[in-house]
């Protein structure tokens, strides 16, 4: 009986030891290690269309067709090409007819356009001999809902105008102002490394979580979710649709406000690796 008890004790001790050393698998271990690569190049709009909430004053606007910024664009292009993309996606809707414009670009047209879709997207696609540009911009769900019920959306959007006294909104505006002031003074590649840093993207994402986001109890949050966030989720869905396999290396040229949200989506996705701009 004593021998049986000792044997049972040893067996229980062995089981306890095994359980104690049981390894918990990481979530990432359930998914493929090899994934499609996405490099998001967040940018300001080179042609200053004035469509964003934050406007750049004339004295802080640069001309990418003139020196010294023209040479700085060359340096930026050479740096981005190190990624060796096999697909390039730009901030444009289907109506922009990106592939048709790209065909004309390859024949010498549009070379005088300052728009980053031409200066970065088409130029890189042309230099690495791609034949397609992917337009991944999207309308948001708010546009769909407005068509169904304009009275509801008009009521919902009341006072949603980015004009408010939230102190964090005022800090954000100071940040935007500081960003626009530095662009003419430093090398474009250095600025793009700064613009596409994790910190810049995190605060860029956070800029939408202050100010009018606080309208009433949930109204500001509802607006953001089906206006801004939904638009970016739809953009991400378009990236999924152009991805064919884990060998894809997709370059995304897009306004940096979008880049901030896309970073979150891509980093969270088990299908992709988010490539840090600074890592090239």
């Amino acid at each position: 009986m004593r021998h049986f008890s000792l044997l049972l004790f040893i067996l229980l001790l062995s089981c306890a030891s095994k359980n104690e050393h049981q390894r918990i698998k990481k979530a990432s271990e359930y998914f493929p290690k090899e994934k499609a690569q996405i490099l998001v190049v967040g940018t300001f709009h080179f042609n200053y269309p004035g469509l964003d909430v934050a406007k750049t004053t004339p004295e802080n606007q640069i001309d990418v067709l003139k020196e010294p910024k023209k040479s700085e664009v060359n340096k930026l292009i050479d740096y981005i090409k190190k990624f060796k993309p096999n697909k390039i996606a730009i901030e444009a809707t289907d109506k922009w007819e990106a592939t048709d414009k790209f065909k004309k670009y390859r024949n010498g047209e549009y070379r005088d356009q300052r728009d980053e879709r031409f200066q970065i997207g088409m130029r890189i696609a042309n230099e690495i001999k791609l034949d397609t540009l992917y337009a991944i911009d999207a309308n948001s769900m708010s546009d769909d809902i407005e068509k169904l019920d304009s009275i509801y959306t008009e009521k919902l959007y009341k006072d949603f105008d980015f004009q408010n006294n939230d102190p964090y909104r005022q800090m954000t505006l100071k940040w935007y102002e500081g960003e626009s002031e530095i662009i003419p003074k430093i090398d474009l590649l250095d600025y793009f490394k700064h613009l596409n840093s994790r910190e810049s993207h995190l605060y860029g994402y956070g800029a939408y979580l202050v100010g009018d986001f606080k309208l009433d109890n949930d109204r500001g949050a509802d607006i953001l979710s089906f206006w801004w966030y939904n638009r970016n989720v739809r953009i991400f869905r378009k990236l999924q649709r152009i991805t064919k396999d884990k060998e894809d290396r997709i370059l995304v040229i897009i306004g940096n406000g979008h880049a901030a949200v896309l970073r979150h989506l891509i980093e969270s996705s088990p299908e992709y690796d988010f490539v840090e701009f600074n890592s090239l």
Side-chain angles (χ1 to χ4, degrees):
M1 188 70 178
R2 286 174 54 195
H3 292 297
F4 177 76
S5 298
L6 181 61
L7 185 62
L8 180 61
F9 173 75
I10 293 172
L11 183 61
L12 291 173
L13 188 64
S14 175
C15 291
S17 178
K18 285 182 180 179
N19 288 335
E20 186 177 317
H21 292 91
Q22 182 68 45
R23 189 177 70 86
I24 300 175
K25 291 178 70 173
K26 296 178 181 178
S28 60
E29 294 183 63
Y30 290 91
F31 301 95
K33 290 184 178 180
E34 299 297 323
K35 305 175 185 178
Q37 308 281 302
I38 298 185
L39 173 66
V40 178
V41 179
T43 180
F44 61 96
H45 296 304
F46 286 6
N47 58 334
Y48 300 102
L51 300 177
D52 295 326
V53 175
K55 306 292 190 294
T56 303
T57 57
E59 62 269 21
N60 289 323
Q61 294 181 7
I62 64 169
D63 190 339
V64 294
L65 299 180
K66 297 180 180 179
E67 297 294 353
K69 294 303 177 185
K70 182 178 179 180
S71 293
E72 292 176 14
V73 171
N74 295 340
K75 184 178 175 183
L76 175 64
I77 293 296
D78 289 341
Y79 181 79
I80 296 173
K81 283 166 61 178
K82 292 180 181 180
F83 176 61
K84 298 180 180 178
N86 69 330
K87 292 176 181 174
I88 297 179
I90 59 174
E91 184 182 346
T93 61
D94 293 337
K95 291 180 179 179
W96 199 73
E97 299 181 333
T99 296
D100 182 63
K101 282 186 170 69
F102 181 45
K103 288 178 182 177
K104 294 177 180 177
Y105 179 91
R106 292 167 68 184
N107 290 325
E109 296 186 43
Y110 298 121
R111 304 304 173 97
D112 60 346
Q113 297 296 306
R114 293 170 175 81
D115 188 324
E116 69 277 357
R117 292 174 289 192
F118 297 101
Q119 288 295 321
I120 300 179
M122 288 192 188
R123 180 172 168 183
I124 293 177
N126 185 51
E127 291 183 5
I128 64 176
K129 305 198 183 310
L130 298 181
D131 56 12
T132 302
L133 273 182
Y134 295 91
I136 60 167
D137 199 3
N139 293 324
S140 65
M141 187 179 179
S142 63
D143 296 326
D144 301 334
I145 293 177
E146 186 173 11
K147 292 175 183 176
L148 294 173
D149 192 340
S150 60
I151 296 176
Y152 168 74
T153 53
E154 183 179 355
K155 181 180 178 181
L156 182 71
Y157 276 98
K158 184 178 182 298
D159 299 326
F160 187 80
D161 54 9
F162 301 98
Q163 305 294 322
N164 55 76
N165 295 320
D166 180 5
Y168 283 94
R169 177 60 184 168
Q170 301 309 310
M171 295 175 202
T172 299
L173 292 176
K174 284 289 186 183
W175 174 42
Y176 289 163
E177 184 179 333
E179 291 288 302
S180 65
E181 288 175 353
I182 199 66
I183 294 173
K185 301 173 184 176
I186 68 171
D187 183 86
L188 272 181
L189 177 55
D190 290 337
Y191 181 70
F192 268 71
K193 288 181 177 180
H194 156 77
L195 189 65
N196 286 279
S197 66
R198 175 175 291 275
E199 179 178 276
S200 178
H201 283 163
L202 288 177
Y203 278 87
Y205 197 136
Y208 289 92
L209 305 179
V210 297
D212 286 346
F213 180 75
K214 301 175 183 178
L215 282 173
D216 301 336
N217 290 329
D218 300 317
R219 188 159 62 90
D222 290 343
I223 292 170
L224 186 78
S225 62
F226 80 18
W227 162 64
W228 180 245
Y229 194 77
N230 178 262
R231 180 179 170 191
N232 286 284
V233 170
R234 287 184 172 189
I235 289 172
F236 177 77
R237 180 69 188 107
K238 286 192 173 184
L239 283 174
Q240 286 183 322
R241 291 207 294 270
I242 70 172
T243 305
K244 297 305 177 185
D245 54 48
K246 64 184 181 181
E247 304 300 323
D248 274 337
R249 300 178 64 82
I250 305 172
L251 170 62
V252 179
I253 311 296
I254 201 161
N256 204 47
H258 298 285
V261 186
L262 288 176
R263 171 189 278 271
H264 165 70
L265 295 169
I266 295 166
E267 286 186 333
S268 301
S269 170
E271 297 181 66
Y272 299 106
D273 277 332
F274 181 90
V275 178
E276 292 286 353
F277 185 83
N278 286 5
S279 70
L280 301 181

